[in-house]
Amino acid sequence: MHDENCIFCKIATGEIPVEAVYENENVIAFDDMEPLMPVHTLLIPKGHYSDIGDNVPEDVLGKLFGAVRKVAEAKGLTERGYRILINTGDDASQSVRHLHVHILGGGHMPRPNDQDWGSSATNADKFYD
Ligand code: DGP
């Protein structure tokens, strides 16, 4: 499972070098190049799946989520906590179509509420027109 045009596949194979926060044979974690928080790390499966809905085998999901704690430990987030986020598809503004878990921390993050969502909140009661 490899997509030669996928930037995260190139990171997974080492074609594009990154400083790994955590790595094993199944996953690699590296810092996001556009951090939204003091800690903002991306965790990806080495195999290519475009998103969480791309028929990802359960063992791959288990290995991916099992590594979240390793990343949190490596980043010193276990005591105060952290948030994980998986953008999926257009409505979630997913920009890189290789499944990835955002691991965010290093500061307090409010819960998303109507105010935080800004103008999108005005559409919260609609599904699609
Ligand atoms: P998303 O919108 O959920 O698809 O987030 C993709 C994230 O990936 C975004 O926060 C920026 C980050 N990103 C994109 N390309 C690269 C890259 O080449 N290196 C690193 N470290 N991060 C990248």
Side-chain angles (χ1 to χ4, degrees), residues 33-91:
M33 69 180 187
E34 296 168 359
L36 299 172
M37 287 294 292
V39 176
H40 187 168
T41 299
L42 302 173
L43 171 65
I44 67 170
K46 290 188 174 176
H48 183 83
Y49 302 93
S50 59
D51 59 45
I52 194 83
D54 187 16
N55 296 315
V56 189
E58 288 188 4
D59 66 313
V60 174
L61 291 173
K63 287 166 181 165
L64 184 68
F65 284 103
V68 168
R69 186 175 61 88
K70 304 282 190 187
V71 176
E73 285 170 358
K75 285 294 191 175
L77 298 177
T78 54
E79 197 171 321
R80 289 190 59 89
Y82 51 93
R83 177 172 290 164
I84 65 172
L85 177 75
I86 303 178
N87 291 320
T88 306
D90 293 339
D91 273 2

Side-chain angles (χ1 to χ4, degrees), residues 7-8 30-33 42 87 93-96 100 102:
I7 192 136
F8 284 1
F30 51 94
D31 288 334
D32 195 294
M33 69 180 187
L42 302 173
N87 291 320
S93 305
Q94 182 184 3
S95 60
V96 177
H100 53 281
H102 294 256

Side-chain angles (χ1 to χ4, degrees), residues 9 14 27 34 96 100 103 114 118:
C9 282
V27 303
E34 296 168 359
V96 177
H100 53 281
I103 299 167
D114 284 354

